[in-house]
């Protein structure tokens, strides 16, 4: 693309911007956000206040197709406005997937039309701390207009405590000796009603969220409760599972995956589903999250060697903070730095920055995300040869000033100033 200082003809410029970047998220998505964002970052103002752009030639396209950001709206409720503003800033950073970790143990803010009791009984507050059908549509449309796909996560069979009150019989009753303790564990995988429930819920979710993919979770299933329950133990014997509760987990997940496939959806799962040898459809995407030093790279090698597509998040848990410039560690990650064939490397779809919500709500979401998530965004967008940290610092510091100008409360990287500081208004 080559254009001189004139802003016209704007129409043909936009059409050209449309065609580079490969950012069409899905059929029907507006096509130009990443190109238009590049264009807007080229605009300068001369000494007389006149807007201009320098003659520029751009050859630019994303390295990875999946450049995501996870928000957790279960551990703290994030108001709709905070989600929409985050989508805006995601577009400035050319992220193109919003992974909405919408429910979890602490709360169930998603208002289900099929099972309204889930949020009535599972949200922190069923009036004020919920996402209505209209909120969800607003998020999806706001994202679509910015070239961002919305992938909701309904994590099961663990991470479901908030589902229990609104779905009697769904969770496993835990036992103390011979009697139920009153505490509940993961979804009960041995009763048919469970599968009727998940079929109906995922039928709804599949039609509410248009993206081809759903994130089905599958992480951190705690077997203690299952082990305590005599009916589950009897089922284990009957099925010949021995003491291997991973087999019970697989039994559940396989049935879930069949249900979701039959709804015409693809799925992403956390790495445990792969680690536990669940039989998967070949086009399953495995989401690598366990950090454990650099072992995540071995996991990427294992996942892709088995022929599955992979997404990386392990080194990008931005909810973790530390003193100093911790964006650098995130920036220096090379997702393909594992031993493997070119075919294996081609199975890496990209990755996601994660903002888990234990210590994050609307008060600190924005400064904790930005500009640090920009380091991940650049890693997922740019050629792997783009890796010089000093250059990146200069770009990111300047970009942060752009964010302040746009009213985003992005925190500083280090000592310095912006011509236009954050006004707070
Ligand atoms: C345009 O180019 C001049 C000369 O290289 C440079 O000083 C200026 O910062 C550029 N303007 C923008 C908006 O990039
Ligand atoms: C700014 O305006 C002054 C006075 O009209 C003019 O001499 C100068 O060339 C202008 N600068 C630019 C960059 O156009
Ligand atoms: C559960 O479903 C299976 C298969 O559809 C069936 O064989 C079994 O009898 C059902 N169990 C109960 C308790 O309804
Ligand atoms: C990868 O697979 C190898 C061989 O099966 C296994 O020893 C290793 O623990 C796996 N690595 C990870 C991180 O799971
Ligand atoms: C990345 O940069 C290198 C060196 O400039 C170049 O050879 C290569 O083609 C680039 N890769 C892509 C995918 O553009």
């Amino acid at each position: 693309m080559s254009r001189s200082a004139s802003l016209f003809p704007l129409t043909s410029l936009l059409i050209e911007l449309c065609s580079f970047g490969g950012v069409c998220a899905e059929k029907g998505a507006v096509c130009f956000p990443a190109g238009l964002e590049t264009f807007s970052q080229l605009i300068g103002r001369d000494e007389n206040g006149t807007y201009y752009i320098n003659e520029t030639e751009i050859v630019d396209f994303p390295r990875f197709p999946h450049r995501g950001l996870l928000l957790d709206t279960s551990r703290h409720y994030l108001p709709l406005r905070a989600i929409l503003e985050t989508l805006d800033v995601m577009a400035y950073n050319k992220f193109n997937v919003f992974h909405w970790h919408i429910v979890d143990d602490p709360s169930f803010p998603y208002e289900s039309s099929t099972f309204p009791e889930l949020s009535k009984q599972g949200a922190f507050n069923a009036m004020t701390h919920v996402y209505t059908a209209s909120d969800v549509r607003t998020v999806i449309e706001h994202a679509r207009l910015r070239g961002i796909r919305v992938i909701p996560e309904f994590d099961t069979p663990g991470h479901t405590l908030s589902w229990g009150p609104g779905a009697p019989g769904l969770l496993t009753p835990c036992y103390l000796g011979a009697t139920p303790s009153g505490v509940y564990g993961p979804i009960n995988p041995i009763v048919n009603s469970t599968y009727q429930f998940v079929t109906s819920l995922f039928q709804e979710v599949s039609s509410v969220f248009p993206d081809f993919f759903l994130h089905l979770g599958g992480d951190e299933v705690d077997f203690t409760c299952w082990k305590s329950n005599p009916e589950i133990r009897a089922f284990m014997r009957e099925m010949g599972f021995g003491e291997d509760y991973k087999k019970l987990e697989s039994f559940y997940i396989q049935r879930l995956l069949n249900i979701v496939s039959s709804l015409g959806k693809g799925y992403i799962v956390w790495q445990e589903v792969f680690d536990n040898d669940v039989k998967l459809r070949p086009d399953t995407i495995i989401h690598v999250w366990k950090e454990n030093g650099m072992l995540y790279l071995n996991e990427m090698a294992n996942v892709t060697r088995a022929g599955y597509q992979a997404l990386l998040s392990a080194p990008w848990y931005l909810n973790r903070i530390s003193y100093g410039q911790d964006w650098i560690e995130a920036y220096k990650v090379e997702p393909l730095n594992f031993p493997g064939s070119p075919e294996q490397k081609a199975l890496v779809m990209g990755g996601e920055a994660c903002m888990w919500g234990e210590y994050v709500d609307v008060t600190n979401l924005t400064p904790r995300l930005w500009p640090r998530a920009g380091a991940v965004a650049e890693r997922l967008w740019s050629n792997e040869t783009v890796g010089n940290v000093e250059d990146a610092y200069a770009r990111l510091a300047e970009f942060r000033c752009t964010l302040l100008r746009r009213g985003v409360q992005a925190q500083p990287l280090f000592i310095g100033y912006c011509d236009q500081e954050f006004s707070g208004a």
Side-chain angles (χ1 to χ4, degrees):
M1 186 192 77
S2 177
R3 282 290 176 276
S4 65
S6 158
L7 291 190
F8 298 97
L10 201 53
T11 320
S12 71
L13 177 63
L14 288 186
I15 289 164
E16 272 203 60
L17 286 164
C18 256
S19 63
F20 90 87
V23 291
C24 288
E26 60 195 78
K27 282 197 191 70
V30 175
C31 188
F32 56 77
L36 204 55
E37 179 56 36
T38 301
F39 174 68
S40 83
Q41 290 177 27
L42 290 171
I43 296 173
R45 248 181 141 168
D46 70 16
E47 68 216 31
N48 298 334
T50 307
Y51 292 101
Y52 74 98
I53 65 169
N54 289 329
E55 180 168 328
T56 307
E57 185 160 328
I58 299 172
V59 177
D60 193 19
F61 51 88
R63 180 178 174 205
F64 293 105
H66 187 120
R67 303 179 305 281
L69 174 67
L70 175 151
L71 293 184
D72 169 5
T73 56
S74 174
R75 293 181 173 87
H76 282 97
Y77 177 79
L78 294 171
L80 182 62
R81 182 184 51 80
I83 296 176
L84 301 181
E85 286 173 9
T86 301
L87 289 166
D88 294 344
V89 192
M90 284 174 68
Y92 304 158
N93 285 269
K94 301 179 186 173
F95 278 110
N96 67 347
V97 179
F98 169 38
H99 173 171
W100 192 353
H101 188 88
I102 188 165
V103 297
D104 202 301
D105 285 329
S107 77
F108 196 104
Y110 171 77
E111 263 189 17
S112 162
S113 55
T114 322
F115 300 107
E117 289 303 311
L118 288 171
S119 62
K120 281 203 181 122
Q121 312 224 22
F124 288 134
N125 180 310
M127 297 302 289
T128 55
H129 288 51
V130 286
Y131 303 106
T132 64
S134 147
D135 292 341
V136 170
R137 277 196 303 274
T138 302
V139 167
I140 292 169
E141 181 62 5
H142 196 87
R144 189 183 72 83
L145 292 171
R146 286 155 185 77
I148 297 171
R149 303 157 50 197
V150 179
I151 299 184
E153 178 180 355
F154 286 80
D155 189 355
T156 68
H159 290 279
T160 48
L161 289 183
S162 68
W163 304 35
L170 179 67
L171 302 186
T172 309
C174 315
Y175 276 65
L176 247 182
T179 48
S181 65
V183 172
Y184 290 88
I187 281 183
N188 188 341
I190 70 167
V191 292
N192 287 349
S193 54
T194 284
Y195 299 97
Q196 285 155 10
F197 174 88
V198 295
T199 302
S200 303
L201 180 67
F202 281 104
Q203 249 160 8
E204 173 186 328
V205 168
S206 298
S207 73
V208 167
F209 291 90
D211 199 80
F212 178 62
F213 284 100
L214 298 177
H215 202 302
L216 300 179
D219 58 318
E220 298 183 311
V221 184
D222 180 358
F223 298 142
T224 330
C225 180
W226 282 352
K227 285 179 184 166
S228 77
N229 180 305
E231 285 170 24
I232 299 230
R233 287 201 306 269
F235 183 82
M236 293 283 289
R237 280 193 298 277
E238 192 185 315
M239 297 299 287
F241 290 166
E243 287 295 304
D244 188 354
Y245 283 81
K246 283 183 185 175
K247 290 195 173 138
L248 182 59
E249 181 188 355
S250 297
F251 172 83
Y252 168 81
I253 299 260
Q254 272 172 19
R255 291 186 69 171
L256 173 66
L257 298 186
N258 289 340
I259 290 166
V260 172
S261 314
S262 74
L263 294 170
K265 288 285 187 176
Y267 40 78
I268 305 175
V269 290
W270 295 111
Q271 71 178 72
E272 286 96 321
V273 175
F274 167 79
D275 296 342
N276 293 350
D277 290 327
V278 177
K279 190 166 140 279
L280 296 167
R281 242 174 30 179
D283 56 353
T284 305
I285 301 183
I286 312 292
H287 200 162
V288 173
W289 70 275
K290 292 193 173 182
E291 190 165 18
N292 211 351
M294 300 281 273
L295 277 185
Y296 66 84
L297 289 171
N298 293 356
E299 181 81 6
M300 295 292 278
N302 287 1
V303 166
T304 55
R305 195 180 316 108
Y308 297 113
Q309 293 170 296
L311 280 179
L312 182 62
S313 278
W316 291 326
Y317 272 34
L318 300 181
N319 47 291
R320 294 201 191 115
I321 50 175
S322 60
Y323 194 71
Q325 297 201 46
D326 59 359
W327 67 274
I328 295 175
E329 284 311 306
Y331 185 71
K332 281 172 27 188
V333 169
E334 172 41 57
L336 302 188
N337 189 18
F338 57 82
S341 65
E343 291 73 25
Q344 275 176 259
K345 308 283 168 101
L347 289 169
V348 177
M349 307 311 293
E352 295 184 356
C354 296
M355 186 55 71
W356 295 102
E358 285 87 350
Y359 303 98
V360 175
D361 72 2
V362 66
T363 62
N364 57 355
L365 173 70
T366 301
R368 192 169 289 201
L369 266 179
W370 314 111
R372 292 158 76 237
V376 180
E378 180 166 300
R379 178 54 55 239
L380 292 170
W381 178 281
S382 295
N383 192 318
E384 64 175 308
T385 55
V386 180
N388 181 294
V389 170
E390 275 169 40
D391 292 351
Y393 176 86
R395 275 195 301 281
L396 202 53
E398 188 188 325
F399 181 58
R400 177 198 169 240
C401 292
T402 303
L403 293 181
L404 297 192
R405 258 198 331 273
R406 293 178 182 182
V408 180
Q409 195 162 357
Q411 71 179 13
L413 291 177
F414 192 47
I415 298 165
Y417 77 102
C418 294
D419 287 333
Q420 195 174 323
E421 297 290 358
F422 182 69
S423 71

